[in-house]
Amino acid sequence: MWYFSNNYLHVYDIYQLLQYEKFQHFIQSGDFFKMLLSVANKDAKSFRNNSHWLKYHPADSLFFQKLNENWNIHFSQVYNTKFSLFESSQLPPDYLILETLNLIKNRLNSLPWDIAFL
């Protein structure tokens, strides 16, 4: 799956952001859901003829569907080889990154997905 191997930096950045208490609280707050729904509804308006993907809940996305399996097959290797060559500091163990992604996935599972299609 190309997605993991091409987006490891974004995943790492999310992990780093969630090391801050401020962002941990945001993910657990209602404002997180408000932001996601606001962006999705704006996308529905902006992409009127090409927004069919918005009918799917984010927790059901290709990224989160088989997160643990895809992590082990695709991301972990890239994180521990290619990405580690670009990062000058000590990388956190990859299981911590996966735990962070699972935290987000679990939070998304309780998101009421109500998008106003035009």
Side-chain angles (χ1 to χ4, degrees), residues 73-90:
I73 294 171
H74 303 286
F75 185 86
S76 182
Q77 180 183 1
V78 172
Y79 178 79
N80 289 308
T81 57
K82 292 178 186 177
F83 185 64
S84 65
L85 297 174
F86 296 109
E87 183 62 35
S88 59
S89 62
Q90 178 77 24

Side-chain angles (χ1 to χ4, degrees), residues 47-56 117:
F47 302 108
R48 290 181 189 188
N49 296 324
N50 192 19
S51 62
H52 63 280
W53 51 274
L54 284 169
K55 68 181 174 184
Y56 301 105
F117 286 100

Side-chain angles (χ1 to χ4, degrees), residues 11-111:
V11 171
Y12 177 75
D13 288 344
I14 290 168
Y15 167 81
Q16 290 295 348
L17 283 171
L18 287 174
Q19 298 310 296
Y20 293 94
E21 195 172 316
K22 169 178 150 180
F23 293 109
Q24 292 171 16
H25 290 302
F26 175 71
I27 290 287
Q28 298 302 325
S29 75
D31 288 340
F32 177 60
F33 286 172
K34 286 179 190 173
M35 180 200 65
L36 291 173
L37 292 170
S38 173
V39 170
N41 279 296
K42 287 177 185 173
D43 283 354
K45 289 178 186 174
S46 297
F47 302 108
R48 290 181 189 188
N49 296 324
N50 192 19
S51 62
H52 63 280
W53 51 274
L54 284 169
K55 68 181 174 184
Y56 301 105
H57 193 283
D60 297 329
S61 70
L62 187 58
F63 184 82
F64 286 118
Q65 249 178 6
K66 296 181 180 177
L67 180 59
N68 293 334
E69 180 182 330
N70 287 325
W71 177 271
N72 291 326
I73 294 171
H74 303 286
F75 185 86
S76 182
Q77 180 183 1
V78 172
Y79 178 79
N80 289 308
T81 57
K82 292 178 186 177
F83 185 64
S84 65
L85 297 174
F86 296 109
E87 183 62 35
S88 59
S89 62
Q90 178 77 24
L91 290 175
D94 61 356
Y95 73 86
L96 292 177
I97 310 290
L98 180 57
E99 284 178 5
T100 299
L101 293 174
N102 274 304
L103 171 95
I104 294 168
K105 178 183 178 178
N106 291 336
R107 182 69 176 126
L108 287 175
N109 281 328
S110 59
L111 169 67

